[in-house]
């Protein structure tokens, strides 16, 4: 039973019991119930949320929590190295289980600005033109260009190497 339903149930019982102290006990019980918190949502990376959604929607068989936490299953289903590393951490497995059982929030992905050293100042930043084209431009974001990118966006566009290249400066953007 949900806490809110219990609260409503005991609020309706006002004045029902004649026994000495019953009304006081009901009020104290109601106060205690009202102080109970719903379980806090855990925060997980987007890729892990995608894995939970995929596991819960497999059509060929029922997927359990233990199945979702098996390392052999992670690789067989193409999870990224980053997701596998996150899931392999024992502390994160508890977070994963809580997310599986109740609800979760998706962690805001880090965003990066990519600057190529030694280029013309007006052309040194990697930008994504909203017409699905990557270009070099300045670091000014506007309605035409996106200048900050997630690691996934960069990897999907085959720019994952910028994180390991000495000629490229990758700066994490703080909001």
């Amino acid at each position: 039973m949900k806490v809110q339903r219990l609260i409503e149930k005991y609020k309706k019982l006002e004045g029902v019991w004649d026994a000495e102290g019953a009304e006081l006990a009901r009020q104290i019980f109601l106060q205690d119930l009202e102080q109970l918190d719903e379980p806090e949502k855990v925060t997980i990376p987007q890729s892990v949320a995608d894995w939970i959604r995929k596991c819960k929607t497999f059509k060929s068989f029922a997927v359990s929590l233990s199945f979702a936490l098996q390392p052999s299953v992670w690789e067989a289903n193409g999870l990224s190295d980053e997701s596998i590393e996150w899931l392999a951490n024992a502390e994160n497995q508890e977070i994963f289980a809580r997310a599986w059982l109740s609800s979760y929030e998706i962690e805001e992905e880090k965003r990066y600005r990519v600057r190529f050293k030694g280029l013309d100042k007006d052309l040194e930043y990697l930008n994504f033109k909203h017409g699905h084209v990557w270009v070099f431009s300045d670091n000014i974001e506007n309605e035409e260009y996106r200048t900050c990118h997630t690691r996934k966006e960069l990897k999907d566009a085959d720019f994952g190497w910028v994180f390991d290249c000495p000629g490229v400066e990758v700066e994490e953007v703080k909001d």
Side-chain angles (χ1 to χ4, degrees):
M1 181 179 284
K2 299 278 185 190
V3 172
Q4 191 56 43
R5 285 184 52 202
L6 270 177
I7 291 171
E8 291 168 13
K9 175 182 175 181
Y10 283 95
K11 280 185 177 180
K12 290 178 185 176
L13 295 175
E14 184 175 1
V16 171
W17 293 308
D18 295 345
E20 187 177 324
E23 179 58 22
L24 180 60
R26 185 190 70 83
Q27 289 175 4
I28 292 169
F29 184 67
L30 268 171
Q31 287 175 349
D32 289 345
L33 281 176
E34 289 170 345
Q35 290 178 13
L36 287 176
D37 290 329
E38 292 291 323
E40 285 187 36
K41 289 183 179 181
V42 293
T43 303
I44 58 175
Q46 178 67 56
S47 60
V48 175
D50 293 343
W51 177 237
I52 289 174
R53 188 171 36 259
K54 183 176 182 177
C55 286
K56 289 188 171 190
T57 58
F58 274 125
K59 297 195 189 307
S60 58
F61 56 91
V63 173
S64 66
L65 174 59
S66 65
F67 173 91
L69 284 171
Q70 290 180 22
S72 60
V73 172
W74 302 336
E75 292 177 13
N77 283 280
L79 261 67
S80 68
D81 291 342
E82 195 173 320
S83 297
I84 290 172
E85 186 177 319
W86 191 93
L87 286 165
N89 181 313
E91 290 176 13
N92 290 341
Q93 290 176 7
E94 183 176 323
I95 293 168
F96 182 85
R98 290 178 56 207
W100 180 278
L101 294 171
S102 59
S103 59
Y104 55 85
E105 294 176 347
I106 297 173
E107 172 179 279
E108 186 76 25
E109 286 189 73
K110 292 179 183 177
R111 302 187 72 71
Y112 303 93
R113 186 172 286 123
V114 179
R115 184 179 76 82
F116 287 77
K117 298 175 184 177
L119 294 180
D120 182 290
K121 187 174 174 119
D122 292 332
L123 299 172
E124 64 185 349
Y125 286 90
L126 181 64
N127 285 259
F128 183 75
K129 191 172 182 179
H130 292 296
H132 304 290
V133 177
W134 290 87
V135 298
F136 290 104
S137 189
D138 57 28
N139 67 341
I140 299 170
E141 189 158 324
N142 56 41
E143 55 279 341
E144 191 175 354
Y145 294 103
R146 182 184 74 221
T147 62
C148 301
H149 322 287
T150 65
R151 184 177 291 268
K152 182 177 179 353
E153 288 168 341
L154 290 165
K155 283 184 176 182
D156 288 350
D158 293 326
F159 285 112
W161 56 268
V162 299
F163 292 96
D164 302 316
C165 181
V168 178
E169 181 180 287
V170 180
E171 169 193 6
E172 185 178 332
V173 179
K174 307 283 185 197
D175 289 331

